[in-house]
């Protein structure tokens, strides 16, 4: 099978400085979209968020976008693990049922 043109090769770090800290992928750069198994999804109360970025650091999918005024979650790639909600020091991330707003 030919490699898709958008698929990036993983470059093995040679020094500890090259090891990525936090999310190693920018939002929207993961290979596979959510497969539909997610039953809960995170919802950020941006009025309470202090932009400490703990959720961004711990998100294993790198799907929290910090480029805008407020944080946004790329639900195409969020797997609903809830780690961001667990790590948020302000408890401003709630896990809500998939079919809730
Ligand atoms: S961990 Fe909580 S307070 Fe910190 S940036 Fe994320 S949502 Fe905001
Ligand atoms: S639920 Fe998991 S995958 Fe989704 S944004 Fe939070 S930490 Fe990332």
């Amino acid at each position: 099978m030919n490699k898709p043109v958008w698929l990036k090769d993983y470059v093995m770090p040679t020094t500890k400085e090259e090891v990525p800290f936090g999310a190693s992928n920018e939002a929207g750069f993961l290979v596979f979209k959510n497969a539909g198994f997610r039953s809960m999804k995170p919802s950020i109360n941006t009025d309470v968020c202090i932009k400490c970025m703990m959720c961004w650091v711990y998100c294993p999918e790198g799907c929290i976008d910090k480029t805008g005024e407020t944080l946004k979650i790329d639900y195409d790639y969020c797997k609903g693990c809830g780690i961001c909600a667990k790590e948020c020091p302000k408890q401003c991330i709630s896990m809500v049922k998939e079919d809730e707003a």
Side-chain angles (χ1 to χ4, degrees):
M1 190 173 106
N2 291 334
K3 191 179 92 174
V5 290
W6 43 264
L7 187 60
K8 295 178 180 176
D9 285 326
Y10 179 70
V11 180
M12 184 67 77
T14 53
T15 65
K16 69 177 175 18
E17 285 75 23
E18 290 173 5
V19 176
F21 174 71
S24 58
N25 295 293
E26 295 175 45
F29 274 75
L30 297 186
V31 176
F32 299 110
K33 285 191 176 182
N34 179 287
F37 59 80
R38 191 179 62 208
S39 59
M40 303 287 281
K41 63 183 179 184
S43 172
I44 301 177
N45 181 346
T46 53
D47 292 337
V48 181
C49 172
I50 57 171
K51 288 195 101 175
C52 68
M53 298 302 161
M54 290 300 282
C55 56
W56 180 81
V57 167
Y58 279 98
C59 173
E61 299 301 340
C63 63
I64 298 177
D65 182 358
K66 62 181 174 62
T67 58
E69 282 269 304
T70 56
L71 298 183
K72 288 194 173 62
I73 294 168
D74 186 339
Y75 290 114
D76 276 350
Y77 297 95
C78 168
K79 62 187 176 188
C81 65
I83 292 173
C84 54
K86 180 82 176 168
E87 295 299 331
C88 174
K90 299 294 284 182
Q91 286 85 45
C92 59
I93 303 178
S94 314
M95 297 302 290
V96 297
K97 286 186 180 166
E98 185 63 29
D99 54 0
E100 289 176 13

